[in-house]
Amino acid sequence: MKRAFILILLAITGFTACKKDANETAYDKSYKVWQNFKTESKNSYSYTVNAGSVFGYGSETKITVQNGVVVGRDFLSYTLEQNPNSAPTKKIREQWQEDKASLGQHNSGAALLTLDQVYQKAKTEWLAADKKKNTIYFETNNNGMISGASYVPNGCQDDCSIGISISEIKAL
């Protein structure tokens, strides 16, 4: 009897542990990886936000954060020129850099957000969109950290994604 009780207790404990792991979302896992990276990097890092269009336009914004504060933003926008015998090339349309003293002077480029703010916005806005009216995306291609969080209204055809795409996160 005692042995059966112990086996039942172990089985219940095992099922409870599996259920807890199954309920941990991709966001939660990614957020934990981010928290570890933030500690290891002493909250000093850069990340690159990419924006693109099916019509051949694109941009890259590199945000630099030191000790948890945005201190720089570099921006590049371009058009893609098709080459018949090679990969498309980028033709620069606009390019600039902002340092701590000049942050926010340009209207173009990604918002001046730390990754803490990006994760918060992902959780409360992009991933919280109405699932009946939108398709929601979340990706973690930056060593487990956020690489994409967005939603697309159902039925939309071109350039409808609302959210963020991050191609690189690296410690300073």
Side-chain angles (χ1 to χ4, degrees):
M1 180 72 173
K2 221 179 197 182
R3 184 177 283 210
F5 176 76
I6 291 172
L7 288 173
I8 291 170
L9 186 61
L10 287 173
I12 292 171
T13 304
F15 288 133
T16 305
C18 289
K19 186 175 182 183
K20 183 178 179 185
D21 291 342
N23 286 336
E24 185 176 38
T25 67
Y27 175 91
D28 295 330
K29 290 176 187 175
S30 177
Y31 188 75
K32 285 179 184 177
V33 173
W34 156 241
Q35 291 301 306
N36 289 334
F37 175 86
K38 184 169 104 171
T39 300
E40 290 171 12
S41 69
K42 296 179 175 55
N43 208 5
S44 296
Y45 55 89
S46 67
Y47 70 96
T48 302
V49 178
N50 303 93
S53 166
V54 296
F55 302 108
Y57 298 98
S59 70
E60 301 168 3
T61 307
K62 179 181 173 186
I63 305 289
T64 303
V65 177
Q66 287 183 331
N67 300 315
V69 177
V70 176
V71 296
R73 182 169 70 153
D74 300 346
F75 177 76
L76 169 72
S77 72
Y78 55 86
T79 56
L80 290 176
E81 292 187 348
Q82 299 300 322
N83 299 313
N85 298 322
S86 63
T89 56
K90 293 179 182 178
K91 180 180 177 187
I92 297 173
R93 298 177 61 205
E94 181 183 5
Q95 187 172 15
W96 46 259
Q97 292 182 314
E98 294 175 336
D99 60 16
K100 194 171 183 177
S102 61
L103 283 175
Q105 289 187 353
H106 296 88
N107 292 327
S108 49
L112 296 165
L113 301 174
T114 64
L115 282 177
D116 279 325
Q117 292 168 314
V118 168
Y119 269 95
Q120 183 63 29
K121 196 166 184 169
K123 184 177 185 176
T124 60
E125 291 181 36
W126 305 317
L127 302 178
D130 186 341
K131 291 178 179 152
K132 293 178 184 172
K133 297 179 181 178
N134 303 283
T135 302
I136 298 172
Y137 299 94
F138 184 73
E139 297 176 338
T140 58
N141 298 326
N142 289 312
N143 296 317
M145 291 180 285
I146 191 170
S147 61
S150 62
Y151 65 92
V152 176
N154 295 338
C156 184
Q157 297 297 315
D158 296 320
D159 295 340
C160 307
S161 181
I162 300 165
I164 195 165
S165 174
I166 299 173
S167 62
E168 181 179 58
I169 301 171
K170 63 182 184 177
L172 295 182

